[in-house]
Amino acid sequence: MDPRKLLEQGDALLIVDVQNDFCPGGALPVPEGDQVIAVLNDWINAAVDRSVPVIASRDWHPVDHCSFEHRGGPWPVHCVQDTHGAAFHDRLQLPPHTIRVSKGTRFDQDAYSAFENTGLAGELRRRNIKRLWVGGLAQDVCVRDTVVAGAGEGFDMRVIRAATRPVDPANGRQALQDMQEAGARIEEAA
Ligand code: VGL
Ligand code: ZN
């Protein structure tokens, strides 16, 4: 389905964590993570054409963040602030007016959801945004938590399935179910 036919006023495109470290060759690679980029670039073009805001979240950790294995956390070192790994993938064609959201910036707390401690919900309301089209990485971690949180905040959440990939396939299937149960719609053909 052509994103131009789906996007309307009151929508935003929310791109979750399409950063080098989550793509093949990165520190915490999501299998086929880079395959979301072409799909998202189509959505970005459509969003720009329709004057729909584009929001891009990024995992943005301080050195020695609590989620890193050497600090007792579950993950290898990834997305350390101002490193190449933390940069948005350079094939992702973010427009100049992209609204950037950094998360996981505290030493002592992790944040999977782009809504967690960022003020994003209030900013979206201020802009009269009611519906969010979501893609990015990883389907079973930050996309899931962002979509579930957004639904809890009352936004109409639409997951662009082809624009997401999971770290783990079984967890990905569970995440799709979790997001649906939270009230989100999974857009298969979009
Ligand atoms: C993520 C693991 C650790 C994600 C972030 O963006 O999905 N996954 N930090
Ligand atoms: Zn992280």
Side-chain angles (χ1 to χ4, degrees):
M1 182 99 178
D2 183 355
R4 279 171 191 76
K5 301 205 171 88
L6 297 169
L7 290 170
E8 292 172 5
Q9 206 183 340
D11 287 357
L13 175 62
L14 175 55
I15 299 172
V16 177
D17 299 4
V18 180
Q19 294 164 271
N20 292 318
D21 272 344
F22 295 127
C23 291
L28 208 173
V30 175
E32 303 181 350
D34 57 338
Q35 291 190 20
V36 305
I37 295 169
V39 182
L40 285 168
N41 283 340
D42 281 347
W43 278 82
I44 289 168
N45 286 331
V48 171
D49 283 358
R50 305 299 308 262
S51 300
V52 161
V54 177
I55 303 159
S57 72
R58 60 182 182 181
D59 212 33
W60 195 246
H61 297 314
V63 284
D64 295 339
H65 185 248
C66 64
S67 76
F68 298 164
E69 281 158 350
H70 70 276
R71 295 294 314 277
W75 307 109
V77 173
H78 65 281
C79 295
V80 174
Q81 294 169 5
D82 291 313
T83 61
H84 174 75
F88 292 114
H89 197 287
D90 60 17
R91 276 191 280 119
L92 186 68
Q93 290 160 9
L94 292 176
H97 296 299
T98 301
I99 300 161
R100 291 165 167 81
V101 179
S102 302
K103 62 185 180 58
T105 59
R106 285 184 59 115
F107 288 99
D108 57 347
Q109 270 176 29
D110 204 2
Y112 292 156
S113 160
F115 289 94
E116 200 171 331
N117 286 317
T118 59
L120 177 60
E123 179 61 17
L124 295 176
R125 285 188 195 104
R126 193 182 70 76
R127 292 172 182 262
N128 287 318
I129 290 165
K130 306 205 175 327
R131 185 166 69 171
L132 291 170
W133 297 89
V134 186
L137 304 170
Q139 185 187 76
D140 48 344
V141 188
C142 289
V143 171
R144 179 199 57 206
D145 279 27
T146 297
V147 168
V148 169
E153 290 283 354
F155 296 102
D156 180 356
M157 302 300 284
R158 307 296 177 100
V159 180
I160 310 162
R161 186 173 181 180
T164 66
R165 288 292 186 285
V167 179
D168 171 88
N171 291 346
R173 284 188 290 276
Q174 180 65 49
L176 292 170
Q177 203 176 315
D178 294 346
M179 293 188 281
Q180 240 169 345
E181 279 167 13
R185 259 175 54 181
I186 313 300
E187 304 288 343
E188 300 286 349

